[in-house]
């Protein structure tokens, strides 16, 4: 009898970590199993624990654990490989079941749970009876893995989840085999052991309860996000298999296994993320969440999902955009690994300024083109104007922000309109007379830039938005006229009007790092896609807003009410690093918006990873700090590149980084490390790392969207983070003062969450007020 064999996602992860020879043997095993699962050499037999679980012989040392999921119409048996283990690691305390919430197959292995928790739950591990191999002694001493409780130290007696009961855990979707254990764990370490190999829904629910996430939020954001409309049949493994993330075992399996963990990232989404990716939305939708929760991965998979729904064609109806050039480069590379080439060609991938320039290029009039300048050049022009006018009433920075955030941000065309414009969040109120004076200066400033054929990128974005809004209005007018005349084509009318385009630029727009876009950017994007189902998909986190752009989406015609979701589980940063990062953006009167009229929160934000505590170290001088930084990097380099025998096993290039808030400190760090410590560096620029150095060094702005195994944050000193210059606004402009503090907090928050495994934060003289302690 032949068989159809699938590979459980957990089993696939186990195979990635095994020796290449074992992977090859699994390929051979799969071929034989599909031909005849009951072949004598496979020794297929049920375990003594859960009768649904079978063991089959891979080779003298390894076993494949499987469960039968049904019989196809042609009589072919269907099997699911749920684990690949050394035979001494196969215990009887295994179970496989259909989850009552998700309807997916769940495999639970209690051998990874700590001994003390098992003992409190009344569970004793029993090793499965090993088959005798020729010439080998099969006598074993069963022993549960995990730390044993110390006899000298009494165990804590108050369970971590004492406030909850079994019925609630069952209702929330915790795997049945883990409910009793979950209710007796007493420490976070025991909980980590319990969920280390637990099904994803169980892991999310238990971590949510332990972190204090409100029950209503757990029901809505975790359980509700993956709950089926109808109660699944717990005995129907055939239907459950269709809902479970598996890999079909076929002749391409060898290449799959060799490709490693990266493939798992490409094909696997957490169930809560998959629901966001595959859902049909009636209008614009948004997903938020802290660093490492998978917002970018969700955005990329959303693009993939939309691309696969497209009818055949050669156009590019999907736009994927973000704020900076280096993030766009990263998105393009990752999407290329996720999407078939013919579908990738249907996606426009560009950063927002490049998109702006394209729109302006298409609408360019005859005459000399404008030179687009950054804000520092534009601010210098404003300072020069104020000097020429001998104007000392207004600070250049205040006027520049007023121009960008109010005049350009709201597309204010006249003095009358400016007198009526809302200035929410600007802090210092202006009388009518003061507004008139400000408008006069800004008119002169705009004329000065025009005379020099200059414009800022904010000006460019506002112009591009205006062009797109006008274009969208023409498309709408054409559609309305066509409907009035009974749907007839309007060839002559289009020719008379000179209208080149008869459709919106895109069918779908996907935005990553949405918190950094300006109101003009959003107006432009809104006009580029027709309002309707699945038009805009927005991913962002306002806790990571490191630029001045701030907008309520509703004010620019993007209504996300009822279509917002939040991710709370970090897959990148350890819980130890996360705990330090959260303190940076926490505190009295510290609030962050939700890209609309509400407040965003990190409540329930947590990690599934554990690691060393971050090192926070102060120094009397900058030179002392640099010397300690060099020692830390040398230690990390040794740990990353050598094995226990002292042999060099890999290159640490690109695995470590140093992050600073001050641009001048970048040069000082690189010079010291190169000349005094013999450590080569590569500077992070807007185009990525420049050079082949082993340690990447850059400002905190450059680390947006990146991650490193080990990260050092240097010069986290008061006066640098935040800058001492902002103190001038404490009394004169409290609102601006709070904005500057919020930006500095966000910078440090972004920096700390770029570390995956280890984080070191240092300062000289006085530590930053944002650091704990």
């Amino acid at each position: 009898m032949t068989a159809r064999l699938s590979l459980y996602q957990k089993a696939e992860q186990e195979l990635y970590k095994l020796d290449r020879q074992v992977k090859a043997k699994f390929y051979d095993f799969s071929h034989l199993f599909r031909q005849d699962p009951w072949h004598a050499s496979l020794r297929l037999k049920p375990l003594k624990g859960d009768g649904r679980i079978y063991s089959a012989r891979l080779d003298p040392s390894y076993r494949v654990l499987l469960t039968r999921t049904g019989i196809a119409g042609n009589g072919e048996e269907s099997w699911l490989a749920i684990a690949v283990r050394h035979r001494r690691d196969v215990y009887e305390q295994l179970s496989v079941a259909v989850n009552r919430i998700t309807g997916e197959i769940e495999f639970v292995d209690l051998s990874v749970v700590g001994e003390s928790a098992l003992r409190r739950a009344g569970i004793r591990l029993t090793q499965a009876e090993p088959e005798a191999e020729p010439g080998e002694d099969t006598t074993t001493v069963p022993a549960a893995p995990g730390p044993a409780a110390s006899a000298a130290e009494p165990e804590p007696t108050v369970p971590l989840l004492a406030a909850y009961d079994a019925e609630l855990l069952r209702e929330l979707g915790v795997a049945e085999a883990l409910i009793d254990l979950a209710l007796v764990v007493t420490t976070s370490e025991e909980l980590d052991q319990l969920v280390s190999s637990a099904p994803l829904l169980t892991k999310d629910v238990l971590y949510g309860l332990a972190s204090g996430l409100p029950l209503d939020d757990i029901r809505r954001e975790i359980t509700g996000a993956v709950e089926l409309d109808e109660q699944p049949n717990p005995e129907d493994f055939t239907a459950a298999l269709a809902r479970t993330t598996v890999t079909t075992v076929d002749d391409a399996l060898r290449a799959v296994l060799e490709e490693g963990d990266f493939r798992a990232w490409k094909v696997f989404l957490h169930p809560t993320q998959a629901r966001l990716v595959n859902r049909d939305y009636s209008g614009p939708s948004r997903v938020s969440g802290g660093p490492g929760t998978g917002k970018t991965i969700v955005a990329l998979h959303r693009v993939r999902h939309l691309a696969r729904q497209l009818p055949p064609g050669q156009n590019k109806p999907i736009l994927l955009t973000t704020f900076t050039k280096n993030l766009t480069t990263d998105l393009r590379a990752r999407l290329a690994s996720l999407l078939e080439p013919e579908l990738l060609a249907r996606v426009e991938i560009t950063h927002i300024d490049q998109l702006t320039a394209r729109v302006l290029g298409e609408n360019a009039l005859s005459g000399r083109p404008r030179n687009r300048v950054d804000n520092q050049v534009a601010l210098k022009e404003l300072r020069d104007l104020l000097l020429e006018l001998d104007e000392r009433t207004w600070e250049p920075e205040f006027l520049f922000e007023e121009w960008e955030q109010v005049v350009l941000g709201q597309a204010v065309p006249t003095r009358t309109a400016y007198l009526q414009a809302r200035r929410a969040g600007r802090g210092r109120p202006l009388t009518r007379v003061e507004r008139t004076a400000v408008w006069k200066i800004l008119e002169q400033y705009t004329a000065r830039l025009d005379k020099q054929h200059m414009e800022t990128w904010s000006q460019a974005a506002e112009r591009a938005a205006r062009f797109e809004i006008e274009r969208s209005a023409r498309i709408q007018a054409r559609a309305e006229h066509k409907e009035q005349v009974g749907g007839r084509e309007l060839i002559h009318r289009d020719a008379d009007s000179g209208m080149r385009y008869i459709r919106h630029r895109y069918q779908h727009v996907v935005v990553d790092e949405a918190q950094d876009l300006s109101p003009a950017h959003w107006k432009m994007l809104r006009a580029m896609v027709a309002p309707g189902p699945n038009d805009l998909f927005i991913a962002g986190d306002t806790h990571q807003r490191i630029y001045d752009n701030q907008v309520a989406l509703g004010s620019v015609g993007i209504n996300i009410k009822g279509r917002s979701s939040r991710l709370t589980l970090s897959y990148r940063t350890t819980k130890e690093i996360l705990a330090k990062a959260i303190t940076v953006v926490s505190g009295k009167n510290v609030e962050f918006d939700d890209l609309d009229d509400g407040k965003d929160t990190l409540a329930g934000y947590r990690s599934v990873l554990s690691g060393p505590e971050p090192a926070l170290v102060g120094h009397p001088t900058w030179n002392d700090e640099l010397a300690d930084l060099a020692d830390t990097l040398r230690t990390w380099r040794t740990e990353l590149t050598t094995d226990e025998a002292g042999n060099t096993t890999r290159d640490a290039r690109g695995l470590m980084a140093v992050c600073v808030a001050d641009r001048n400190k970048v040069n000082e760090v690189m010079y010291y490390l190169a000349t005094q410590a013999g450590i080569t560096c590569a500077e992070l620029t807007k185009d990525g790392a420049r050079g082949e150095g082993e340690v990447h060094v850059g400002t905190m702005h450059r680390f947006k969207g990146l991650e490193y195994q080990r990260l050092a944050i240097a010069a986290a000193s008061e006066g640098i983070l935040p800058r001492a210059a902002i103190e001038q606004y404490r009394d004169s402009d409290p609102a601006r003062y709070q904005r500057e503090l919020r930006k500095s907090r966000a910078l440090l928050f972004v920096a700390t969450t770029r570390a995956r495994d280890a984080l070191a934060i240092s300062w000289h003289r006085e530590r930053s007020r944002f650091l704990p302690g």
Side-chain angles (χ1 to χ4, degrees):
M1 176 184 291
T2 59
R4 180 181 303 166
L5 182 61
S6 302
L7 188 60
Y8 193 55
Q9 196 260 343
K10 281 283 186 183
E12 189 174 338
Q13 291 179 340
E14 290 179 351
L15 275 168
Y16 292 146
K17 301 172 185 177
L18 294 177
D19 183 85
R20 183 185 297 268
Q21 292 181 342
V22 179
K23 293 178 183 178
K25 290 177 181 178
F26 182 81
Y27 173 79
D28 296 334
F29 165 88
S30 302
H31 182 76
L32 180 57
F33 189 93
R34 285 184 293 144
Q35 297 303 313
D36 180 8
W38 300 100
H39 192 282
S41 66
L42 299 179
R43 303 184 188 178
L44 183 66
K45 66 176 184 179
L47 294 181
K48 291 182 179 179
D50 188 333
R52 292 191 181 97
I53 299 179
Y54 288 71
S55 170
R57 184 180 186 274
L58 179 65
D59 69 4
S61 299
Y62 283 87
R63 301 291 178 264
V64 180
L65 302 181
L66 309 104
T67 188
R68 185 158 40 183
T69 54
I71 297 179
N74 59 1
E76 186 178 55
E77 291 188 348
S78 176
W79 289 81
L80 179 65
I82 54 179
V84 181
R85 303 280 174 82
H86 194 283
R87 65 191 187 89
R88 292 194 177 91
D89 295 329
V90 177
Y91 289 81
E92 301 287 1
Q93 283 70 18
L94 307 172
S95 68
V96 63
V98 176
N99 185 276
R100 68 189 69 82
I101 298 296
T102 66
E104 296 179 355
I105 295 175
E106 291 185 334
F107 170 58
V108 173
D109 179 4
L110 299 186
S111 68
V112 299
V113 181
E115 182 181 354
S116 56
L118 289 169
R119 187 171 59 250
R120 287 196 298 276
I123 300 172
R124 180 178 179 273
L125 282 185
T126 306
Q127 193 171 24
E129 182 180 348
E131 300 99 345
E133 297 294 341
E136 183 178 14
D137 180 8
T138 61
T139 303
T140 59
V141 179
S150 170
E153 298 180 8
E155 293 181 18
T157 56
V158 180
L160 202 61
L161 303 179
Y164 311 106
D165 59 26
E167 189 54 41
L168 176 65
L169 299 192
R170 196 170 286 114
E171 173 195 333
L172 295 175
V174 175
E176 189 69 36
L178 295 176
I179 289 178
D180 290 342
L181 271 165
L183 293 172
V184 299
V185 297
T186 55
T187 66
S188 59
E189 289 75 17
E190 284 188 344
L191 182 62
D192 289 340
Q193 285 183 296
L194 175 65
V195 303
S196 62
S197 293
L200 286 170
L201 178 57
T202 294
K203 181 181 296 185
D204 284 2
V205 168
L206 294 183
Y207 270 139
L209 293 173
S211 66
L213 191 65
L215 270 176
D216 287 345
D217 288 352
I218 293 175
R219 288 190 173 99
R220 181 180 65 255
E221 298 176 8
I222 298 177
T223 304
V226 297
E227 188 172 13
L228 295 178
D229 294 332
E230 296 182 1
Q231 183 82 14
N233 182 349
E235 301 302 323
D236 190 350
F237 273 65
T238 301
L241 181 65
R243 306 184 192 103
T244 307
T245 301
V246 299
T247 299
T248 301
V249 177
D250 54 24
D251 292 334
L253 182 65
R254 187 189 300 274
V256 168
L257 296 180
E258 292 299 326
E259 199 173 343
D261 283 321
F262 187 66
R263 182 183 182 280
W265 171 84
K266 287 196 299 182
V267 301
F268 179 72
L269 279 174
H270 186 288
T272 57
Q273 296 173 341
R275 289 293 180 94
L276 301 179
V277 166
N278 300 322
R279 184 179 299 167
D280 274 329
Y281 299 93
S282 58
S285 56
R286 186 209 64 171
V287 57
S288 64
T293 54
K295 298 183 299 299
T296 296
I297 289 179
V298 167
L300 290 171
H301 281 269
R302 180 64 176 176
V303 171
R304 180 197 196 198
H305 171 75
L306 294 172
R308 289 183 168 179
Q309 313 304 312
L310 292 174
Q314 300 298 319
N315 61 336
K316 294 190 174 186
I318 300 175
L319 171 68
L320 173 61
T321 189
T322 189
F323 189 68
T324 62
K325 181 178 179 181
N326 59 335
L327 284 179
T328 305
T329 302
D330 179 62
L331 290 176
R332 182 178 290 107
R334 295 168 73 175
L335 191 61
S337 298
L338 183 66
L339 202 57
E340 299 86 346
E342 60 273 15
L343 290 181
L344 182 64
R346 309 286 306 279
V347 181
E348 188 77 48
I349 309 171
T350 184
H351 62 86
I352 198 71
D353 284 343
Q354 189 176 12
L355 189 64
T356 296
R358 182 186 307 159
V359 172
L360 295 180
E362 292 175 0
N363 293 275
L365 302 175
S366 60
R368 181 176 171 183
R370 302 188 193 189
N371 179 32
R372 293 183 193 109
V373 298
D374 63 30
N375 285 357
Q376 293 305 313
V377 173
L379 187 57
K380 180 182 180 302
E381 290 296 325
L382 181 56
R383 288 195 181 100
D384 292 344
L385 173 64
L386 295 179
L387 285 174
E388 293 171 11
L389 297 174
D390 194 25
E391 173 58 64
R392 302 180 184 181
T393 305
W394 311 99
E395 294 179 355
E397 291 80 7
F398 173 83
L399 292 174
F400 190 77
E401 288 184 356
E402 186 76 7
W403 181 58
E404 284 224 317
Q405 296 180 22
V406 180
V407 178
L408 295 180
Q410 298 180 39
V412 176
T414 64
R415 181 180 69 87
T416 301
Y418 177 61
L419 293 176
Q420 299 172 353
R422 294 178 66 252
R423 299 180 64 256
R426 289 291 294 134
R428 176 179 176 178
L430 296 178
T431 65
R432 188 178 182 86
V433 172
E434 288 174 326
R435 287 203 190 198
T436 300
V438 167
W439 180 260
K440 183 177 180 180
I441 294 172
L442 294 181
E443 271 191 322
Q444 292 175 285
Y445 176 56
T446 304
R448 181 187 184 93
L449 293 178
D450 286 342
K451 185 177 181 180
Q452 299 184 46
H453 301 283
M454 287 184 180
E455 72 174 345
T456 66
W457 278 103
S458 295
Q459 279 182 293
E462 194 276 329
R463 280 205 303 135
R466 194 162 61 245
F467 283 132
E468 286 300 301
I469 291 170
E470 292 170 356
R471 180 174 172 276
S472 180
R474 292 198 302 272
I475 295 171
Q476 180 63 29
R478 181 187 186 281
E480 292 174 355
H481 181 74
K482 184 176 179 179
E483 185 176 349
Q484 290 173 2
V485 299
R488 296 194 300 273
E489 289 299 324
L490 307 176
I491 298 175
H492 297 296
R493 182 176 184 269
D494 291 343
D496 293 340
S497 66
M499 188 173 181
R500 290 178 58 200
Y501 303 102
I502 59 173
R503 293 184 178 87
H504 286 85
R505 290 181 186 268
Y506 304 105
Q507 293 179 30
H508 312 286
V509 172
V510 178
V511 184
D512 191 32
E513 300 291 353
Q515 71 277 354
D516 290 324
L517 270 61
S518 71
H521 292 146
W522 287 114
K523 291 176 185 176
M524 178 178 68
L525 293 174
R526 173 66 283 178
M528 284 180 165
V529 58
N534 304 317
D535 51 356
L536 283 152
F537 188 86
I538 300 163
D541 174 22
T542 56
H543 294 86
Q544 299 181 66
R545 182 187 285 129
I546 58 178
Y547 301 98
D548 280 320
N549 297 329
Q550 187 165 342
V551 61
L553 292 176
S555 68
V556 291
I558 300 175
N559 178 21
I560 58 173
K561 291 289 191 298
R563 293 183 294 273
S564 294
S565 304
R566 188 164 63 98
L567 300 171
T568 55
L569 193 62
S570 174
Y571 299 91
R572 179 178 65 215
T573 304
T574 67
K575 63 181 182 179
E576 290 80 8
I577 294 173
L578 198 60
K580 290 293 187 293
I582 289 177
T583 64
V584 171
V585 288
S586 303
K588 187 177 180 181
N589 299 324
V590 180
E591 292 183 337
F592 294 83
D593 65 278
D594 65 350
L595 286 175
D596 218 355
D597 295 326
K599 301 299 180 184
D600 200 7
T601 175
L602 290 176
Y605 182 36
R606 59 211 186 278
S607 173
V608 299
L609 307 172
S610 296
E613 282 289 336
L616 277 71
V617 183
H619 302 276
T621 68
W622 177 224
N623 276 340
D624 291 329
E625 184 180 352
L626 287 172
D628 185 62
L629 172 64
D631 289 341
T632 297
L633 293 174
R634 288 193 200 96
T635 300
W636 285 352
R637 179 172 59 186
T638 300
E639 293 173 349
L640 288 168
T641 60
T642 59
D643 58 20
E644 294 179 357
N647 301 314
T648 300
T649 57
R650 64 170 174 169
D651 189 348
R653 200 180 309 274
L655 303 179
M656 301 183 295
V658 178
C659 180
V660 294
D662 182 77
R663 179 66 188 81
N664 292 329
K665 289 290 188 290
V666 172
N667 295 329
E668 294 172 17
V669 167
M670 293 180 65
Y671 179 79
Y672 183 92
L673 293 179
T675 61
Q676 304 297 315
I679 298 175
T680 59
C681 300
E683 182 180 355
L684 281 179
T685 70
K686 64 180 181 180
D687 298 315
R690 185 172 63 197
E692 296 297 322
E694 56 192 320
V695 176
H696 290 178
V697 183
T699 62
M700 293 178 175
H701 286 86
R702 294 298 181 209
F703 279 79
K704 194 71 175 289
L706 303 179
E707 67 176 73
Y708 293 87
Q709 285 193 22
R710 309 198 178 194
L711 178 77
I713 298 176
S717 306
E718 187 69 15
I720 298 176
L721 197 72
R723 296 176 298 111
I726 74 167
E727 289 303 314
Q728 62 183 304
Y729 307 119
R730 182 189 286 269
D731 298 321
S732 63
D733 194 346
R736 179 175 181 179
Y737 180 70
Q738 291 301 324
R739 285 202 310 274
E740 293 294 337
L741 285 179
R742 197 157 45 239
K743 277 197 301 181
S744 294
R745 286 183 185 275
L747 266 178
L748 185 55
F749 181 64
V750 167
T752 54
T753 53
R754 300 308 97 189
R756 196 181 78 184
D757 300 328
L759 172 67
I761 304 177
S762 61
W763 62 91
H764 53 281
R765 296 191 295 274
E766 184 181 355
R767 79 167 70 196
S768 168
R769 71 186 74 177
F770 304 138
L771 292 175

